[in-house]
Amino acid sequence: MNRFIAVVLFTLSSLSYSYSAEVMFAHNNANLSGHYLENTNDKPTKAVLIFVHGDGAMSYDADGYYNLIWEPLRANGYAIFSWDKPGVGNSTGNWLNQTMTERQSEVLAAVEFVQQQYHFTDSNTGLMGFSQAGWVLPALSKQNAKVGFVIGVGFATNWIEQGEYYTAVNRQLEGGNSQQIQQALTQYKKEITFLKQSPSYAEYSNFAGEEAMDQDRFEFVLNNFKSDAKQDYLSVRVPSLYLWGEKDLNVDAKKEFEYWQNNENHFVTPMLIANASHAMLKADKFDHQSFGALQWLKLMWLEQEAFAESFLPTILTWLDELKLEPPTN
């Protein structure tokens, strides 16, 4: 069979396997398209994991990426809930109009919907978030939270510092020498200084020239670039597993991991996953900052073999150690 045809057939079968009935829930003025997937091991459901997206126009299954994580979770007794971001799929609204505080409110709306619709309690409702969700989930992890546990993948504490790291690595990957990397960082810092002046889009376009973002993206960045989770980290009071890839090209994983080694919170379990990328894929096979068509095809071909070896086992072991009480029906 032709390799490309085989990949396409696998993708179609994967999407079919994870198909779920669409449900709608409301947040502010948007109607959001959610999907609930039951556990697949024919035993009582242990808990529900609500997935929280990173950056970008994300569909409920992240174009198939989440499916590969959901399969072992469901086989081990966990249900899944996820939704299309506002303005994606059948969800109304526009995710680019949101602040991180509004995203936190949206997640709480999803939590309340799932608990009412599927009879989960706070203790067996968990959140699993990726990348940009690092400025969403820690704020929802306080005492008397509506969730019982949190899993975070590739979180950064500070938006501006994360952008600085990303900029330096990006220029290095392009083949830049130390001087060129420094020039890129200088330009990045000029852009941050300019954004702190709260410019209009016209002023920004004049400043950035051909490199300018479109207006919606500009407004999103302007509303969120000061995001910092440090204060929220101080108030984390639910069991939380924070994972970083040892070879993350987007977030300074070693710095983030060291933060938790120096600022111990017994609710937080930090883990640095060997040979893992920002998306917890094997770094020796997925060595790009962005995820293009070829990377996606490779992911669909390798399936769960694409993940760093300890990623999924670490999550499953940690979840089992929580000894969650099953929901009441």
Side-chain angles (χ1 to χ4, degrees):
M1 181 183 292
N2 178 276
R3 186 180 179 91
F4 178 77
I5 294 174
V7 170
V8 173
L9 289 176
F10 165 78
T11 303
L12 292 174
S13 67
S14 176
L15 292 176
S16 175
Y17 174 79
S18 65
Y19 174 77
S20 62
E22 180 183 41
V23 294
M24 303 298 292
F25 69 100
H27 176 252
N28 291 343
N29 297 319
N31 292 315
L32 302 174
S33 173
H35 296 257
Y36 178 77
L37 292 83
E38 296 180 345
N39 59 303
T40 57
N41 64 347
D42 296 322
K43 294 181 180 180
T45 307
K46 295 178 181 177
V48 62
L49 276 163
I50 298 175
F51 272 58
V52 182
H53 300 303
D55 196 8
M58 302 287 284
S59 63
Y60 82 98
D61 64 351
D63 297 323
Y65 168 74
Y66 288 163
N67 294 334
L68 301 175
I69 301 173
W70 291 343
E71 185 176 348
L73 287 170
R74 295 173 68 196
N76 279 272
Y78 300 96
I80 301 294
F81 187 79
S82 187
W83 67 97
D84 298 329
K85 272 193 176 183
V88 179
N90 291 327
S91 293
T92 63
N94 185 350
W95 66 274
L96 283 167
N97 292 339
Q98 294 181 311
T99 63
M100 293 300 113
T101 300
E102 288 167 335
R103 289 201 63 195
Q104 293 162 14
S105 175
E106 180 181 289
V107 172
L108 285 177
V111 167
E112 291 171 357
F113 174 81
V114 168
Q115 291 179 348
Q116 292 171 9
Q117 187 77 11
Y118 303 105
H119 311 294
F120 289 95
T121 63
D122 294 355
S123 62
N124 52 44
T125 301
L127 303 175
M128 183 164 179
F130 298 80
S131 192
Q132 194 180 91
W135 298 300
V136 179
L137 301 196
L140 305 179
S141 306
K142 300 177 182 179
Q143 190 172 12
N144 301 319
K146 293 185 177 182
V147 296
F149 59 95
V150 169
I151 300 172
V153 178
F155 284 1
T157 302
N158 181 280
W159 179 302
I160 294 173
E161 291 177 2
Q162 186 265 329
E164 187 172 348
Y165 176 83
Y166 183 96
T167 297
V169 173
N170 180 264
R171 192 67 191 90
Q172 182 179 12
L173 292 173
E174 290 176 343
N177 57 35
S178 58
Q179 182 179 359
Q180 291 168 326
I181 292 170
Q182 189 57 51
Q183 288 173 345
L185 287 172
T186 299
Q187 180 60 31
Y188 173 77
K189 291 175 182 178
K190 287 181 179 178
E191 291 172 0
I192 293 300
T193 299
F194 183 74
L195 289 175
K196 288 179 178 178
Q197 301 171 23
S198 299
S200 67
Y201 184 67
E203 291 170 331
Y204 163 73
S205 296
N206 185 58
F207 171 84
E210 294 181 356
E211 301 297 322
M213 300 173 275
D214 63 36
Q215 186 163 0
D216 278 354
R217 182 69 188 182
F218 164 75
E219 296 290 348
F220 178 77
V221 171
L222 191 65
N223 287 331
N224 292 293
F225 80 99
K226 295 179 183 178
S227 295
D228 188 296
K230 191 168 292 184
Q231 288 302 310
D232 293 326
Y233 284 160
L234 298 176
S235 301
V236 170
R237 292 296 181 271
V238 300
S240 301
L241 174 66
Y242 290 169
L243 304 175
W244 294 273
E246 178 189 33
K247 297 184 179 179
D248 194 323
L249 300 176
N250 298 52
V251 169
D252 192 344
K254 293 180 181 178
K255 178 181 177 181
E256 298 294 338
F257 179 66
E258 287 173 1
Y259 169 86
W260 286 105
Q261 291 182 308
N262 296 325
N263 296 273
E264 186 176 352
N265 177 336
H266 73 271
F267 288 99
V268 178
T269 302
M271 297 285 287
L272 193 63
I273 302 299
N275 189 37
S277 71
H278 185 59
M280 291 294 148
L281 304 175
K282 290 177 179 174
D284 55 345
K285 297 183 183 298
F286 296 86
D287 56 355
H288 295 71
Q289 286 182 310
S290 57
F291 209 77
L294 290 177
Q295 298 278 309
W296 183 83
L297 287 172
K298 186 190 296 186
L299 174 63
M300 292 298 103
W301 180 259
L302 292 172
E303 303 178 58
Q304 287 163 1
E305 290 297 317
F307 289 116
E309 290 183 6
S310 62
F311 169 54
L312 293 171
T314 295
I315 291 174
L316 292 171
T317 298
W318 184 81
L319 286 171
D320 284 346
E321 289 174 350
L322 292 178
K323 300 188 184 304
L324 300 166
E325 292 292 331
T328 56
N329 294 320

